[in-house]
Amino acid sequence: MADILVYVPNSGKSAAETLTLGRSLGQVSAVAFDDSAASLAAEYGAAKVYRVTAEGADDYFVDPKASVLIDLAGRVGPDAFLLPGTDEGRALVARLAVALDSGFLTDVSGLDAEGTATQDIFAGATVTTSKITKGINLATVKPGAVNAEPAPAEPETEAVDAAVAETDKRVKIAERVDEPAGDRPGLAEADVVVSGGRGVGSAEDFALIERVADALGGAVGASRAATDAGYYPHKFQVGQTGTTVSPQLYVAAGISGAIQHRAGMQTSRVIVAVNKDVDAPIFGMSDFGVVGDLFQVLPQALEEIEKRK
Amino acid sequence: MNIVVLVKQVPDSGLARRLDEQLRVDRNGANNVMGELDEYAVEAALQLKEAHGGEVTVVTVGPDQASDTVRKTLAMGADKAVHVVDDAIAGSDALATSKILAAALGRLEYDLIVAGAESTDSGMGVMPHLLAARLGVPAATGVRKIELDGDGIKVEHQRDNGYDVLTASLPAIVSVWDTINTPRYSSLKGIMAAKRKPVETLSLSDLGIDPSEVGAGAAATEVRSATDRPERTAGQIVADEGEGGRALAEFLAVEKFI
Ligand SMILES: Cc1cc2nc3c(=O)[nH]c(=O)nc-3n(C[C@H](O)[C@H](O)[C@H](O)COP(=O)(O)OP(=O)(O)OC[C@H]3O[C@@H](n4cnc5c(N)ncnc54)[C@H](O)[C@@H]3O)c2cc1C
């Protein structure tokens, strides 16, 4: 059976997805730097957990973890090494590729036992299959592309003690500033996302978008025109340079549907748009659309939703 | 302060893009532009130079026509450029490209290397860390703010639910998101001045790289097939004549979202 190493950074959704994909390829050994990651690995079927203690590693950016992963990969010699396709995952996969002199792929949406990976390119317009022809199957897994399925196991645990080398201390995390999302689900994980664009017109009126999101139990998103204008914080931006979402339902209100926005939401299962311009490109990809003023349509929809609940 | 900016010419992401028969990004179309995030990298470098003095050098790897992108950076205000161009480079993967860039950077003196957080064609976002590994230089990536801080830099690394303040010694590599600034337009004066700015054109042999180490033949990954995803098609689009909101709620109910 193939040996699959999986980097488990935390107990988040993309870590669970990466473990699930790993399990479909062979026997998973997870690399966990804390207990929550180790228990996620057990919940998602890892046969083994390398539980790493690296005193001080969290105070530095990327390098200490890269060194641990490089060491482990060298020692274990896996057939594949999968990482979640987060910014950290992309940084780590690059470090591993150079150290192991291995080919690698980023943001794979699937990978089979023969090593054939699928990827979405050009903002999802084209699907490619690729193969790594040198080294191991080293890849980051696109968040949201794999359905995370638990498979509780009782993995063997191996403690790994790692010291942080001086050369890995050159980029220090001086401060962590968290901007909590509040009571709403996280944008990347939500089943429903309700997004507002330039058409919302002001920060105050984003309250309407929030009310629709809350009525549907969803997260709030925004287009870049809306975040640039300061209507809503940047971290809620959906699109090529924002978050990629793939919810069951995506509602776009006052969003034209520029290609960079579509890049972040077009794999949503159901897309609904409200826009006063009948020619807005967003309608061309919507399962349901209302051509009209969002300030008329959404309040009426809200009223009806409350009635039906 | 010597700042190097890495830029890449890409097909315009706002237009239809395709792979060619060899399953490589088709770069022969007329719609090539500077990588959209690279403009923010150039702007960040120019702002640092304006505040602290020094020189901005642009480095690119790409075919002849990438000289348009080089000229654009010079028109924005970069001082000089290095353009690595060689037929043998076509088909290189990220690993090989990083080898070429590392060799080009090895000939320069730099305090800071600035790149876009990802290219807008492949979108991999790995180059800064590939180079960090090859050059042994620390990398602080995905940032929305850069400041000098004593002998080093202080940056804000953007994440989904907040940001991290990172400090790094120099030389260092940073990559920037589009939240960092608003790139300037080049002025007519800038466009004229760009014509006199030095552009060094280098081949693989100038960099001491054997052609067999790069290009399609050396690629460690291979694209086997490409299929256009069927475009999503429009479903039911209704005009609001006073009942649009209710129709929307009805659709959501039928789809079991309420
Ligand atoms: C490198 C790069 C990266 C980018 N990354 C992203 C990204 O990650 N995410 C992103 O979203 N964009 C991104 N963009 C920007 C993108 O190109 C568009 O400019 C942006 O998505 C437009 O946002 P919008 O649809 O809200 O605004 P607009 O295009 O201005 O559309 C506003 C829409 O609202 C409608 N409207 C106005 N008033 C009302 C009303 N009262 N009721 C109903 N409808 C109304 C209008 O008809 C219009 O269709 C990027 C661009 C570049 C160059």
Side-chain angles (χ1 to χ4, degrees), chain A residues 7 80 195 205 220-221 253 286 290 294 298:
Chain A
Y7 169 56
S195 290
D205 284 328
V220 176
S286 296
V290 181
L294 70 93
L298 292 184

Side-chain angles (χ1 to χ4, degrees), chain A residues 164-182:
Chain A
V164 178
E166 281 309 310
T167 48
D168 288 342
K169 294 184 178 173
R170 292 179 301 176
V171 186
K172 190 168 169 37
I173 302 178
E175 193 188 344
R176 279 195 172 78
V177 182
D178 285 312
E179 296 164 340

